[in-house]
Amino acid sequence: MMKSKKISGGLIILFLLLGLVQGFTQTVVQGVVTDMVNKQPLQYVSVVLKGGRGTVTDSLGRYTLRSSGNIATIQITYVGYKTVTKTITPGITQTIDIALETDPKATNNVTVTTRKRAPYRNKGNPAVELIRRVIQNKSINRTEHYDFVQYDQYEKMEVSLSNFNDKLTNSKLLRNYKFLFENRDTTKVEGKSLLPVYLEETLSKKFFRKKPEKTKTVVVGEKRVNFGEYIDNAGVSKYLNTLIMDIDIYDNDIPLFTYQFLSPIADLAPTFYMYYIRDTVTDASGQKLIKLYFTPRNTNDLLFRGNMWITLDGNYAVQKINMFLSKNANLNFVRELHVDLDFEKSEDSRYHLSRSNVMADASVTKNSGSGFFGERTVSFKNFRINKPLADSVYDGPSLVKVDKADAHSDSYWLANRHDSLTKTEAKVYSNIDSLEKMPSFRRTMAFLTFLLAGYTSLGGFDLGPAAAFYSFNPVEGFKLRLGGRTTPKLSKRIYFEGYGAYGFKDERWKYFLSTTYSLNNKSIYEYPLNFIRVGYQYDTKIPGQELQFVSEDNFLLSFKRGKNDRWLYNRNFKVEYVHELANHLSYTLGFKNWQQEPAGSIVYTKVQNGSDVNIDKLTTSEFSGELRWAPHEQFYQGKVYRIPIINKYPIFTLRFIAGVKGVMNSEYNYQNISARFEKRAYLSQLGYSDLVVEGGYIFGKLPYPLMTIHRANQTYAYQLNSYNLMNFQEFVSDHFVAINIDHHFNGLFFNRIPLLKKLKWREALSLKVLYGGVRDENNPSNDPSLIKYPVFEGKPTTFSLDKKPYIEGSVGITNIFKLIRVDLVKRFNYLENPYVATLGIRARFKFDF
């Protein structure tokens, strides 16, 4: 028995010694491959242990080979260069840098050929057959193939100024900011001097369960630069992450810069891409790979070109892919876009993503030397599959942040980053912190805020908006207005907003005052909202005009077409409670006492005792409730405003209003229920469509001013949510359904027209259909006690929809000078109505990438 133990112990020691000997005798060869003349690194160079394994160099020319054999030679080959053979020493780790010399035979040969390229065909093409096998095997090579997955993730987002003008940095105006300009990186990208201005890092743990399906992210650490109160740092982060999102090469579409780029292994990819087999290589693990080159059939389309390496183990998985955007692609501001994805073998011999790197270089003009350089790097560690965890791990919200995730020390980040920061990157945090504290920077940001948002800060009070200081219209004539609002600087609990205005034609004062109390001690402009607001307003309004993000007194809206004298004087007392929940479900409860007085050409008339009587005012009191669900909604958050960032997720809104007679002189009982659905649908190479479906029904007997007055537009600006050739107050309904479709082709047709494709214009189509009507009980022609439809110069100007829908459509060109959209709008019916336009040209500013 003792002998057996001794033998066993001896075997164990022997195995350990053999293992140590094997570890000590392992051959490791690493280095960098460069061009002998220009000293620049060469990518995709084949480096092979002669008779053994091989690999290819990365984007920086680096390679690493490992072997436990006695191979003493490596061979380096690259198209256009002389093949190099180097002797190595087996059993040690060694660094061998190689400078390749161009091959005169490859570079000096003159080839005479015709201009015609051999026709490319999918049929019978081995490259296409290979990519079809990759497409067929996508489902087994995705994370969703497993029952359970968990891993650690590290993200780094960086934005830099690229090739910033030296004359500007040396100017006297910027002498106080020299400490910023000294922190440059000239090594990351060849030929570029990068000045980092933004950096954020995120550490998280990811969990996936297939049944029931649940993906959960637990953020354990986050860190970003802080520009202070004038910039919403969290909003900047969200916006940048919508521009450069997570990339899954196995998805049909890759979301970048608010567009959907067709993946080179999408189901329809062979229709839009061309493929060529370049080489067969062996990676460091001995896995044989096929190097496949892909390129767009049309270089103006939003498609990639590059190389991918595909495994030949029966899984047909992507082991590595390097791709970039064609310079001719119809994308604004972006001069270069590179995507590098690396995969590593899992314990089940399948490949999962181990590192993702996206780099983009942008500028206002593509020929400009300076611009912006953005980079997002994501790395993955501790990838584990099919190891179930407790249900509590997957329960709860999909995104969770641990307490004080943004308060970790520098030592924590040094220990937990997957990649260390460069000296230039590490200095960004302290540089921006110093910048934010400079008075000159604060003054500059205040001025820019005034230009963009129209408000100027006076301590805890903002004066504005500037665009509403002056306007004009037929009822009020010249109108001057002055107002503002308090900010969280004054109080995070109580907010005031108001203005005073005066019309020089009607000689009336208008005014507005509201008080808001925050129930969660957060800004009333910051998600999630939770406040009570009380307001009182007396001002003019155009019935049927509905604006978004723009004040009705905006100077530019003073310019209108056609008859523009149907107005109201509105006196509103309003109380509302707004509450947004963490799951993006929100509700609003409110009460409004509304007194409307006709103005301009509007006259409220009804029959009393057999004769027409003018009604001076109409009063109603309404209780309201609104339920809104916007899953995954994101905002760019300003100090006192927020702008939603459009994504692929739908938004549902349900609203109920009850008019109650007798409350604060209210004259009518009615109930109004309405619903709205809106969504952006991405259609890959066909572009995207913005779809809105809405409808409503009003119960009860009421006059036309209390019905739905459909949104009209008599300005020369194209409005997405209004009917652009409908006159104000032209149509009213007590029940309706509407559908609006606004489709953008992203240059699908113009990209194929030789002259137009250089302009990078894009096509747009829209269709708006409105169907509704007025029940007999609410038709003033059936009941003289109801207020009559308006008449102007003996002609009726307000109508109900009569058994046929109102239809208008438009054909548009977007991306004119990268900013302007122009539409030719046509109205298809109800052309017999007075003062209508059947055709019109409308324009709007639209910023797109």
Side-chain angles (χ1 to χ4, degrees):
M1 190 73 173
M2 292 294 294
K3 187 176 179 180
S4 175
K5 287 185 178 181
K6 288 181 179 179
I7 292 174
S8 300
L11 287 174
I12 292 172
I13 294 172
L14 178 61
F15 288 143
L16 288 174
L17 289 173
L18 288 174
L20 288 172
V21 170
Q22 185 177 13
F24 283 124
T25 59
Q26 187 182 39
T27 303
V28 179
V29 187
Q30 59 190 10
V32 178
V33 182
T34 58
D35 184 286
M36 183 177 289
V37 177
N38 60 25
K39 311 300 181 185
Q40 296 300 317
L42 296 175
Q43 189 176 11
Y44 310 134
V45 178
S46 177
V47 185
V48 180
L49 288 163
K50 209 163 185 180
R53 297 175 176 177
T55 187
V56 293
T57 57
D58 62 13
S59 59
L60 298 177
R62 299 173 300 193
Y63 74 94
T64 301
L65 280 172
R66 291 181 173 85
S67 174
S68 57
N70 293 318
I71 298 173
T73 307
I74 63 170
Q75 189 175 68
I76 303 93
T77 57
Y78 196 47
V79 177
Y81 289 82
K82 291 182 178 180
T83 298
V84 173
T85 302
K86 290 282 186 179
T87 301
I88 62 174
T89 303
I92 66 171
T93 298
Q94 55 212 287
T95 299
I96 300 179
D97 295 333
I98 299 120
L100 293 184
E101 181 183 1
T102 57
D103 187 355
K105 295 179 182 179
T107 57
N108 295 333
N109 288 345
V110 177
T111 302
V112 179
T113 183
T114 65
R115 289 181 177 271
K116 292 184 178 180
R117 185 176 62 184
Y120 177 88
R121 292 186 177 91
N122 281 353
K123 187 176 181 180
N125 187 335
V128 176
E129 292 301 319
L130 177 62
I131 204 67
R132 291 195 190 281
R133 293 197 178 188
V134 175
I135 294 171
Q136 290 170 2
N137 285 271
K138 284 197 300 182
S139 60
I140 66 172
N141 288 312
R142 305 185 62 138
T143 301
E144 291 79 2
H145 171 73
Y146 302 107
D147 292 327
F148 299 92
V149 176
Q150 61 187 94
Y151 54 87
D152 299 332
Q153 179 173 306
Y154 168 74
E155 303 173 51
K156 180 178 69 176
M157 174 77 76
E158 183 177 357
V159 178
S160 305
L161 299 179
S162 173
N163 294 337
F164 202 65
N165 193 312
D166 286 333
K167 291 183 179 179
L168 186 60
T169 60
N170 294 324
S171 68
K172 293 182 179 180
L173 290 174
L174 298 177
R175 63 180 179 270
N176 293 332
Y177 301 93
K178 280 195 173 181
F179 68 95
L180 290 175
F181 305 128
E182 291 170 354
N183 188 40
R184 299 196 189 193
D185 189 341
T186 58
T187 61
K188 178 175 288 189
V189 181
E190 177 189 348
K192 292 188 185 297
S193 174
L194 303 179
L195 176 64
V197 294
Y198 180 84
L199 181 66
E200 70 168 61
E201 301 173 271
T202 306
L203 280 166
S204 56
K205 294 184 178 295
K206 299 273 189 171
F207 303 93
F208 170 77
R209 182 184 62 194
K210 190 172 184 178
K211 291 182 180 179
E213 185 171 332
K214 181 65 178 292
T215 300
K216 187 168 183 178
T217 300
V218 179
V219 177
V220 296
E222 59 180 3
K223 186 177 184 179
R224 68 172 67 98
V225 298
N226 184 4
F227 284 95
E229 63 177 306
Y230 289 101
I231 294 179
D232 171 36
N233 299 283
V236 170
S237 173
K238 289 177 182 177
Y239 184 70
L240 291 175
N241 280 280
T242 59
L243 298 183
I244 305 178
M245 302 177 70
D246 291 333
I247 293 178
D248 185 349
I249 196 64
Y250 290 107
D251 278 341
N252 285 329
D253 297 296
I254 297 172
L256 287 168
F257 297 102
T258 71
Y259 291 105
Q260 298 282 315
F261 293 76
L262 190 72
S263 168
I265 58 173
D267 295 344
L268 294 177
T271 305
F272 297 93
Y273 282 100
M274 297 185 292
Y275 301 89
Y276 302 90
I277 294 176
R278 290 296 197 218
D279 199 0
T280 301
V281 298
T282 304
D283 68 7
S285 66
Q287 173 72 53
K288 286 190 176 182
L289 309 167
I290 289 185
K291 180 182 177 182
L292 191 71
Y293 174 73
F294 53 92
T295 186
R297 294 174 184 260
N298 187 312
T299 58
N300 284 69
D301 288 340
L302 297 180
L303 301 169
F304 295 100
R305 65 175 62 193
N307 295 281
M308 71 174 81
W309 285 260
I310 300 169
T311 65
L312 292 178
D313 56 359
N315 293 329
Y316 295 97
V318 177
Q319 192 258 12
K320 182 184 182 72
I321 187 166
N322 303 111
M323 55 190 185
F324 59 93
L325 192 65
S326 171
K327 290 185 177 180
N328 297 326
N330 193 341
L331 191 67
N332 293 333
F333 311 115
V334 179
R335 296 182 295 196
E336 293 181 44
L337 176 63
H338 293 264
V339 178
D340 297 327
L341 305 177
D342 294 313
F343 297 77
E344 66 180 14
K345 188 178 288 188
S346 302
E347 56 194 71
D348 65 342
S349 297
R350 301 191 190 279
Y351 284 83
H352 69 268
L353 186 64
S354 61
R355 183 180 176 85
S356 167
N357 182 257
V358 181
M359 295 186 294
D361 186 40
S363 68
V364 177
T365 61
K366 290 198 174 183
N367 296 324
S368 172
S370 58
F372 291 91
F373 180 84
E375 181 180 19
R376 184 173 188 254
T377 302
V378 185
S379 61
F380 309 86
K381 284 187 176 181
N382 301 323
F383 192 87
R384 285 169 284 179
I385 60 174
N386 294 333
K387 294 181 179 179
L389 300 172
D391 290 341
S392 58
V393 174
Y394 307 99
D395 292 342
S398 298
L399 177 64
V400 176
K401 291 183 182 181
V402 301
D403 291 340
K404 298 183 179 180
D406 58 350
H408 292 302
S409 64
D410 290 343
S411 59
Y412 171 88
W413 286 100
L414 285 172
N416 289 280
R417 285 189 184 101
H418 292 189
D419 295 311
S420 60
L421 298 181
T422 66
K423 290 183 179 180
T424 305
E425 291 171 340
K427 204 172 180 180
V428 176
Y429 290 117
S430 58
N431 278 355
I432 299 303
D433 185 58
S434 300
L435 176 69
E436 191 273 328
K437 294 176 181 177
M438 296 177 65
S440 58
F441 174 75
R442 289 172 173 265
R443 287 193 297 268
T444 301
M445 294 308 301
F447 177 70
L448 292 175
T449 301
F450 176 70
L451 288 181
L452 297 175
Y455 286 86
T456 184
S457 179
L458 302 173
F461 180 81
D462 279 355
L463 182 68
F469 287 164
Y470 166 75
S471 62
F472 59 88
N473 60 71
V475 173
E476 298 172 281
F478 300 119
K479 182 177 183 179
L480 297 180
R481 169 177 149 171
L482 188 65
R485 58 196 176 188
T486 63
T487 71
K489 246 184 183 181
L490 184 67
S491 172
K492 286 189 176 181
R493 280 288 188 186
I494 300 178
Y495 298 80
F496 297 95
E497 183 176 4
Y499 65 79
Y502 185 78
F504 286 85
K505 182 177 180 180
D506 64 356
E507 298 181 342
R508 290 195 187 189
W509 284 97
K510 290 86 183 179
Y511 43 86
F512 167 68
L513 179 64
S514 75
T515 303
T516 307
Y517 183 78
S518 174
L519 296 173
N520 58 2
N521 201 30
K522 297 176 68 174
S523 168
I524 60 171
Y525 307 98
E526 181 181 342
Y527 176 86
L529 306 181
N530 189 8
F531 62 76
I532 296 175
R533 174 177 290 155
V534 180
Y536 189 85
Q537 181 184 43
Y538 175 67
D539 207 341
T540 55
K541 180 178 174 60
I542 300 175
Q545 176 173 267
E546 184 172 314
L547 304 172
Q548 289 185 314
F549 313 119
V550 178
S551 168
E552 294 195 16
D553 287 333
N554 190 294
F555 171 74
L556 295 177
L557 297 181
S558 299
F559 300 93
K560 293 182 172 67
R561 62 174 177 84
K563 299 288 184 180
N564 176 36
D565 58 353
R566 292 181 286 275
W567 289 67
L568 296 174
Y569 289 108
N570 277 343
R571 193 179 298 273
N572 287 318
F573 171 72
K574 191 173 183 180
V575 180
E576 62 178 349
Y577 169 62
V578 179
H579 192 182
E580 291 180 337
L581 306 178
N583 60 358
H584 294 278
L585 180 70
S586 64
Y587 60 91
T588 302
L589 303 175
F591 169 79
K592 181 174 74 170
N593 180 256
W594 177 23
Q595 184 183 101
Q596 51 179 295
E597 176 188 345
S601 64
I602 295 179
V603 178
Y604 287 171
T605 303
K606 64 180 181 180
V607 177
Q608 285 184 351
N609 300 323
S611 59
D612 290 347
V613 176
N614 289 341
I615 306 300
D616 294 334
K617 60 186 178 182
L618 183 65
T619 304
T620 185
S621 291
E622 298 177 340
F623 293 90
S624 63
E626 178 181 290
L627 192 64
R628 183 177 184 270
W629 185 44
H632 306 287
E633 186 174 34
Q634 294 178 314
F635 304 95
Y636 174 75
Q637 184 78 57
K639 183 176 60 173
V640 286
Y641 65 91
R642 67 180 191 179
I643 300 173
I645 300 172
I646 299 176
N647 56 31
K648 64 181 180 180
Y649 298 100
I651 299 175
F652 303 89
T653 306
L654 180 65
R655 183 181 294 115
F656 177 78
I657 298 174
V660 181
K661 187 176 182 180
V663 176
M664 297 180 66
N665 300 317
S666 177
E667 302 173 49
Y668 294 93
N669 281 316
Y670 56 90
Q671 299 81 41
N672 184 347
I673 186 169
S674 61
R676 178 183 173 95
F677 168 85
E678 49 193 306
K679 176 179 170 53
R680 172 165 289 184
Y682 290 98
L683 304 174
S684 192
Q685 293 306 106
L686 297 179
Y688 66 88
S689 288
D690 287 327
L691 173 68
V692 178
V693 180
E694 58 183 334
Y697 196 95
I698 303 176
F699 300 88
K701 184 175 181 179
L702 72 171
Y704 85 86
L706 299 180
M707 297 185 205
T708 300
I709 300 176
H710 295 292
R711 296 183 296 269
N713 175 30
Q714 286 186 223
T715 71
Y716 295 97
Y718 185 83
Q719 294 181 7
L720 298 175
N721 289 313
S722 300
Y723 300 94
N724 289 282
L725 290 182
M726 183 186 290
N727 291 332
F728 291 133
Q729 209 181 22
E730 184 179 356
F731 289 103
V732 297
S733 298
D734 59 17
H735 61 279
F736 77 97
V737 63
I739 181 169
N740 295 349
I741 302 173
D742 189 43
H743 184 78
H744 296 254
F745 288 98
N746 293 339
L748 179 66
F749 304 109
F750 289 167
N751 288 347
R752 288 155 176 78
I753 302 175
L755 294 178
L756 288 179
K757 68 181 183 181
K758 292 185 177 181
L759 298 173
K760 297 193 182 299
W761 288 354
R762 302 167 187 167
E763 321 84 349
L765 287 176
S766 74
L767 178 67
K768 300 181 180 182
V769 180
L770 169 66
Y771 183 80
V774 175
R775 301 191 306 275
D776 289 342
E777 64 177 316
N778 290 325
N779 190 335
S781 61
N782 296 333
D783 188 344
S785 67
L786 294 171
I787 296 176
K788 295 180 179 180
Y789 290 151
V791 175
F792 182 76
E793 295 179 348
K795 300 176 181 178
T797 57
T798 298
F799 307 89
S800 63
L801 294 161
D802 182 24
K803 297 182 180 179
K804 63 179 179 181
Y806 172 89
I807 303 174
E808 73 174 31
S810 71
V811 179
I813 299 175
T814 71
N815 208 43
I816 301 173
F817 304 119
K818 301 181 181 180
L819 285 174
I820 300 173
R821 169 178 176 169
V822 177
D823 280 73
L824 175 64
V825 189
K826 178 173 176 57
R827 175 170 167 158
F828 291 99
N829 53 6
Y830 292 101
L831 305 182
E832 67 279 4
N833 289 359
Y835 312 114
V836 301
T838 58
L839 280 174
I841 295 177
R842 303 289 179 264
R844 69 182 274 115
F845 289 103
K846 186 177 188 293
F847 176 84
D848 271 329
F849 279 98

